[in-house]
Amino acid sequence: MSEHRRKPPQPQGGARAAGRRGQSASSGRRAAPRGATGSLSETYGSGGEETQYEGRAAARRAAQRSTGAGPGGGRRRTAEPAGRGPGRGRGRAAPPGKKRFIDYPRAGQYGAMRWVPSWRQVTGLFIGFFGCLVAAAGIGYAVVAVPNPAQAATAQNNVYYWSDGSQMVATGGEVNRQIIAYEKIPKAMRYAVISAENKTFETDSGVDPMGIARAVVNMAKGGQTQGGSTITQQYVKNAMLDDQSQTLSRKVKELFISVKVGTSVDKEEIMRGYLNTAYYGRGAYGIQAAARTYFGIDADKLNPSQCAFLAAVLKGATYFDPAGATSIDPAATPQANRKRASERWLWILNEMVKDKHLSAAERAKYTEFPKIQSPRSNAQLGGQIGYLVDTAKGYILNNTDITQNQLERGGYEIHTTFDKKKVKELEAAVNKVRKENIKPDLRPKTDTHVQFGGASVNPKSGAIEAIYGGEDATKHFTNNADVTGAQVGSTFKPFVLAAAMTWGKRDPGLGRDQAQDERTIVSPKSLYSGKNNLKIRDYNGDIWTNEEGKEWLQANDGDESYGSPPKYQIDLREAMRVSANSAFVQLGMDVGLERVKEAATEAGLKKGSLAGTSFPSFSIGISDPSAIRMAGSYATFAASGKQNEPFSVKTVEHEGLTTFDHDDIANPKRAFTSEVADNVTDVLKTVVDEGTGTSAQLTGREVAGKTGTTDGNKSAWFVGYTPQLSTAISMYRMDDNESNKNRTFLEMYGTGGKESIHGASFPAEIWHDYMEDALKGQPAEDFPEPEPIGVIVNDDPDPTPTPTPTQSDEEESPEPSPSPSESETLPSPSPSEPCRNPFDPTCEETGGADTGGTDTGGVDGGVTPTPTESEDDTRGNQNGGLFGGPNG
């Protein structure tokens, strides 16, 4: 062995012990037994000399140095420690001579540096990760297959069932796509899609990395999923029949297929596949089906204007089909959809010119939005079936994870809540009234465009048991049981009463801030003025004026005053019985219109269907909820204040598995106390027993309900209920022809041969006939006896309510304010003593040029317009009109 590899001599026996003792003595410590610590403070010779180390830190440094080359280039080896004592050896490098495959934590480093990877490790990790990605991409690219657009044409039926389990209809699987050749697709259609969806289609690789990154980040944040942004990616998405889930794994699969399609499939074939698989709405898949559905022509006959429209619809038929889709989204009204489609159609045509795909001269030919056919329906969807299917579809899309694409492809068994017998009986009741009274040939000016709508809801569960959507779903395409825009009039008054008994009237003796907390719960025996042209006041007694400073004088139907002069006081039960507008408008102001709105939404109305609260007339029905929602909200009163969301689908099954069960999401809530709800019911019983709703009385059954008529006699309602069933019936006139751009509600003076239409006439008659049959065979149930509630507000020592309307001398005058002689007969308040009862007519000031309108419709009250229109009360989905309601 060479000299430089000879092991250095080691101290022997007592020398080592002596060394340890000497070290211990020099440091003031007791020497530890040999091998007890395993410390590197032991001495190792170099050239036969002993070296002592002071302290553990010095020992570690010496140990580290011992691993390097000694004098003369020789290597020194450190002895293996005999053991490790508690707290010793932490942060020590790995023993020399042992190499690890991955040097991590790093040897030769101490503290935090041991955990900081070297640049070699970082580089290796990056290369390894990138290599794995490349390998995964290669495998993914190899295993995915290019989609066949012809396979996407297959579709199954959706089967709908009645509530008793019998089959209603099987639909959705009819042939709705025809694959056509690339040459049959108009050049204008191809370029319209390129300009609208993917301007770089002819040159890109088929994938948009930035679009994919946005989608991944959005999904990682839990936001709404996004689809591919290129035509290639959208084509791949449409053709992936086996998986329509919106997940990250599906997006990755789409990416691989898109890359493969982009590199291996010709652009013409991609365009052909996309336009033949895309969904254009109305059950039409592919350009040929879309051309036949919207324009009644073959695809190769489409002109650039029609192509631009179909390209617009591709963005989402729910919101761009001019026929509307309110069953899916109430915001997708025909008016709103037509506006969106027209704007996008115009933009696409202009983009085609900008992209040099259409000449300016050719573009100039198309200034009018293309004429579009009304929706066509399967013959099986005639009568009420189409409306039932639309309602069920809308419920599924809004309340389950099933997408429209999945539903359109079919294969679902949908069990609805619709009662076959009740649906037929409701349709029969409407047809009877229509046949006997509505004669458009005899009275074309008054009896054309008459529409009825209706819905029945079970108060105990919220199940929609019947609807009436119109004459025929294949001819009349708006579902009249759903959103129509028809104002509800005086049927809104029960929500004012419920708010007054829930939150109470504000105390006019306190400041505005304090008044939010200090309230008085109102009893149905409370007294309010039934005077015609009543001057409305804010809760603190100030006369209410609009932004122009005009005073509000609230008119009653027929300009009648209720109660005896001079005070005209009647209790709220009487006010509901005769439907006195003045009493409920003032009550709403006392309670606060926001509280009234809250009561309506608690009962079950949607906020989007309610007008703004800037005007006192909010309390008398300027809002336009659907018949389904009105029936559902009255069902809350029938159920003693328990509110159930109306629903039309019980379960949905797919391939033998239940994918949706309503019981899993049912969430009844307490909207009102039983005391409040039962008192509202008791007051509404008076309306049917001896008020405006007597024509709705049922044999041997208790009935509660309310009539409603709107300003200008443009809609009329009756909404009523028994403990077992709540039903709403509406009637209005509206030309809903698709070509009519400015749909308006028409007056019903003279309709059906009557001077005017009100809720007590045809709507109550339909309600009565239907409910008699619908409840036949069911035992009669009584409503709960209401408990006393609240206090009698505005009680005077000599109240003079009367059960019949009276005419005062003041009312006989056409002028809204009393004449000088009349003023002299009324005592005036003392100038030194302010008027404290805002409901005492002696406090009224004469004057006020604006009466708020006197044309209020039928005998059940009506909506009185405000002197001016408020922007706050105007909703975008209405056709003009005052306070957000349609013009009638």
Side-chain angles (χ1 to χ4, degrees), residues 2 68 104 134 138 236 463 478 526 546 599 727 872 879:
S2 62
Y104 193 82
V134 172
V236 168
T478 300
S526 296
N546 64 11
T727 300
D872 175 69
N879 292 321

Side-chain angles (χ1 to χ4, degrees), residues 206 272 383 604 647 712 719 725 781:
R272 172 179 176 269
F647 69 102
V719 187
L725 195 62
E781 294 183 17

Side-chain angles (χ1 to χ4, degrees), residues 793-809:
V793 301
N794 303 322
D795 190 15
D796 279 353
D798 54 345
T800 56
T802 65
T804 57
T806 60
Q807 291 279 350
S808 67
D809 293 339

Side-chain angles (χ1 to χ4, degrees), residues 594 597 610-615 869-875 883-884:
E594 285 299 328
K597 190 171 190 175
L610 300 178
T613 56
S614 296
F615 291 94
E869 182 176 350
S870 167
E871 183 177 351
D872 175 69
D873 289 307
T874 302
R875 297 187 303 284
F883 338 113

